[in-house]
Structure formats: structure tokens, C-alpha cells
Amino acid sequence: MTVRTRIAPSPTGDPHVGTAYIALFNYAFAKQHGGQFVLRIEDTDQKRSTAESEQAILDALHWTGLEWDEGPDVGGDFGPYRQSERRKHYETHCQLLVDAGHAFHCFCSAEELDTMRAEQMAAKQTPRYDGRCMRLTADEVSQRLAEGQAHVIRMRIPTEGDCVVHDRLRGNIQIPWSQVDMQVLMKADGLPTYHLANVVDDHLMAITHVIRGEEWIPSAPKHQLLYQYFGWEMPELCHLPLLRNPDQSKLSKRKNPTSILYYRDQGFLPEAVLNYLGRMGWSMPDEREQFSLDEMVSAFDIDRVSLGGPIFDLDKLTWLNGQWLKNTLNDVEYRDRLMAWMCSDSFFDQALPHLQSRIDVFSEASQWLNPLWIKDVPITEEMLTDLGLETDVLATLLQYLIWRFEDTSIWTREVVETEIRWVADSLDLKLKDVMPVVFMVFSGTRQAISAFDLAVLLGPDRTRARVRAGLNVMGGVSKKGLKRLEKSYQEAIRSIDIEKDAN
Ligand code: GLU
């Protein structure tokens, strides 16, 4: 058997370090067994998937140095590797399930489903589809289909007993069927859900081992049942522990930069990032902290992955990156890497227009570029409080900015400006009073290129990290304070939306 593993990201946001972590373990497992590692784009959620996000994921994973044998950008014998191009496979396979009686048409409206759930919750039952459309006769179904009634296709789930799925790291996991919903397989828009597409593709792409995050364990019973319905052998499952913030919560951009591109733009070495991710739940047999990808592949043993939540600690990663810079690169490599980061053509293409109108001699250039090159902005509490706003207003302003920036998927000058204006309006502040603060947290100086341009050049993650750092020098926000701010922030969203509707 040729081992084939895959990473199957959905292009719905920033390329997450968690994706690189799962990709690394899939890569290491496949390569160690002389097998293949596949990249598949799971873009069946048409509302949330974007071409920009797909490109960012591909760029970010390429930057890490992980190479896939097959994928949307490199081709392969099992393509296409983008689910939106594989509709016919899902349609034919879903029809097979319907024909065999393993799946059924469901015509329930959203209101009907809401009422059903509300009644179940009132009766203290687990909300789940109650199977009412399963009882329609074949004639009723044909008639409704002929009338063009909106419908989905759901899978049948046993009503009694337990499902036992085997996980390579966790052994048998037992889940009562009563906890498993009659999953929609085909949505009303004719596109498959994750579950159907994922199972069909893993089978058609001859994936032998599904190595993914533990958040997918609840899906495993449905997937196993689908394999049984199709009469296919199921790949071996292996659910890896999720990455965690130092406070043990699930790694999130609210607490840590999570985009792979942040680490690239902040000047980390991809080797160090992969090395660090390789230490998440796994270690070298000799416990050595620094190792290369090839060394990891040779020594890899998936059965030694520990299930305790691995902590993704930025300080530890920074230290490891330092080890790579100090111990690994020769002079030429060091110079090339530093130049590629600091002075790449793409960096200057973006930064030059802001320099040209401002400087008379090149020796003035670094003062303008410095905010882009520094790791952290050297600001103090006084530098912010000196700008004229009350301390609590300052903290609210910075927290609101973080939230606005977290929720924006597009990052342009206009978007940054709109978000800053939104925050100023929602706090009844004048833009001219807000901008000096924004300028200071972005740049750390009083003289820098425009804050909007700076934000674009820094990218969303580095910008957010700077606002967060600004908030931290002010002493941060207590848990209680955060709850209060979250409430007023939600109210601001509501009232600004109402105003917009009224206009
Ligand atoms: N598309 C899923 C994701 O975004 C893939 C999960 C899986 O590996 O099965 O993570």
C-alpha cells in the first residue's frame, strides 16, 4: 500500500498556523513511509470561500517549505484538487446513497426546523432532525421534486446503539447514535456539505490516512457510516491535539498572531517555524529542540504524539528562531535571507512611493522605513496618554480597533480608514483626536508615513499585534472590563447599523 495523506484547508480566512502544523504531520508521515502528500482545497462553502484566501494559503504553505506532490497548483493524477470543480462526483455519489435508501430528500423549511429544535430544547432533548421527511412516500417525493420544491439530501442515521470509531492515537471512541444528527449531505444550492465531499474525495484520491485536528472527532461517526454505505474501506483516522494559547485556550487570533503570513512578515525563518510546529505534541527521540524537516521525517513516529494540548508560545518560537539564526546559516545564507526579508523587490515596490516625496538624501530613508523593519514598536504608556485622551477612552479605542481589524477580511487603505472612522464615530470622538493614537501605536514615532499606508504595508496581523501591544503598555483590559467593552461594542455595532438602515 502506498501511504497517501492530505491537508484539506477551506479557503475562508487567513492561512492559519494550525493548518501548517497539520500539514507538517501529514507530510512527515507520508514521506517517512515513502508515500505522497496531497493538498486539496475544500471550497464548497461558496459564501465564505474566496480566491484570495486560497492564494494566501498556497503562498503561506509554500513559504513554510512543505511541498505537496499533488494539488490545485501542481496537478496530479487524482485531480481536480479543488472541490468546486468536482461537483459531478458528489452528485453521482449522493444519488447512489439515495437509490440505496441510505439518504433521503428533506423538504423542511428553515422555520419548520427552527420550531422542531425549539420544541426539542424545551423538552430537554438534544436538538436534531427528527426524520419526518424520511416518512414521505416515493410518490410524494417525486411529486414535490417535480414541483421544484426546495430540498436538501440528508443521510440516515441509526436510531439506537453506539458508534465506535477507531483513532490511531486515542483507540476506540464511542459515541451514541442519538448524539449524531441526520447530516445534510447535499445543500439546497446543489453543493455538497463538507462531510459528503470530504469522504468522496478521500476515497477517490486514495487517501490512506486522515490526520487532522481533534475538532473533527464529532464528524467521524458520520464519515464512518458513509464509508459503510458506499462499501468502501475507511482510511485510518488520527486526530491530532489542537494548538493552544499559553493560557490553555484554543489558539486564536484574539490572543496570538495566528496567520502564517505574520511569521513570514515579522522575519521568522520558515525552517524555525516548521521546527517549532514539529515540537507541538511530538519531540525528537533525543529531545533535541532544534531539528530540520528532513531530520523530523527520518525520526518521525506518529504513535509518539502526545495528546496533552500543545502550547504555541511566541516567546519560545522566537528563541528557537534565534537558534536557527545563530547556529545554522553560513554568512552567505544569512546575508541572502536578511536581504530577502528587508530589501526584497516587492517590499521596495510597495514602500518606495512613500519615500520619494519625502526624502532629499538616501540617508533619510531609514527613518521612514524603520517602522516597517522593527519587531515591536517602542512605546510607553506616557507616549500614549500624552496624546490627550483619557486612559479608559484610550483603552476602549484600542480594544475596539483590535476587534474591527479582526473582523475585516479585506485589507486595503480604504478598509483601514473606514474601520478607524467607525471606531471614532462609535466612541463619539473626532478623527483628529484618534489619529495621533493610531499613528503612535502603528509606528512608535511622531514622524512616519501615513497611518493608513503603514497599516497596508505592515499587513493585518502585524498591525493588530501593534495595537494589542499598545493596549498592553496601558496595562491591558481586565476580564471584567473586557466583558463590559464587548457589550458596548456590540451595542455600537447595532446602533450604527440602525443609523445606516435609516439613511
Ligand atoms: N476542510 C476541513 C478544514 O478546513 C478539512 C478537515 C479534514 O481534514 O477532514 O479543516
Side-chain angles (χ1 to χ4, degrees), residues 328-338:
T328 323
L329 305 180
N330 65 33
D331 290 355
V332 176
E333 285 165 346
Y334 201 106
R335 188 200 59 204
D336 289 350
R337 295 296 195 93
L338 180 60

Side-chain angles (χ1 to χ4, degrees), residues 6-23:
R6 67 5 177 229
I7 180 85
S10 297
T12 52
D14 292 335
H16 200 279
V17 281
T19 303
Y21 154 67
I22 302 288

Side-chain angles (χ1 to χ4, degrees), residues 2-7 23 26-40 58 62 65-79 81 205 207:
T2 307
V3 167
R4 284 173 60 83
T5 64
R6 67 5 177 229
I7 180 85
N26 273 282
Y27 174 92
F29 185 79
K31 294 298 142 187
Q32 184 196 41
H33 290 90
Q36 287 130 21
F37 169 58
V38 176
L39 187 145
R40 178 173 76 229
L58 295 178
H62 276 306
L66 289 174
E67 292 299 332
W68 38 99
D69 301 291
E70 297 164 34
D73 54 344
V74 294
D77 293 342
F78 297 80
Y81 293 92
M205 293 182 181
I207 299 301

Side-chain angles (χ1 to χ4, degrees), residues 6-12 19 22 40-43 83 194 198 202 210-213 215-216 223:
R6 67 5 177 229
I7 180 85
S10 297
T12 52
T19 303
I22 302 288
R40 178 173 76 229
I41 293 289
E42 298 207 330
D43 58 351
Q83 290 188 328
Y194 152 74
N198 187 273
D202 280 346
V210 167
I211 303 169
R212 63 184 168 195
E215 73 270 33
W216 299 103
H223 294 189

Side-chain angles (χ1 to χ4, degrees), residues 60-110:
L61 288 175
H62 276 306
W63 173 78
T64 65
L66 289 174
E67 292 299 332
W68 38 99
D69 301 291
E70 297 164 34
D73 54 344
V74 294
D77 293 342
F78 297 80
Y81 293 92
R82 202 176 275 115
Q83 290 188 328
S84 54
E85 294 163 21
R86 302 175 58 80
R87 282 178 76 147
K88 67 173 190 316
H89 292 300
Y90 313 129
E91 280 160 16
T92 39
H93 283 92
C94 197
Q95 193 55 47
L96 288 178
L97 294 178
V98 173
D99 293 346
H102 297 313
F104 61 95
H105 292 88
C106 167
F107 299 91
C108 293
S109 65

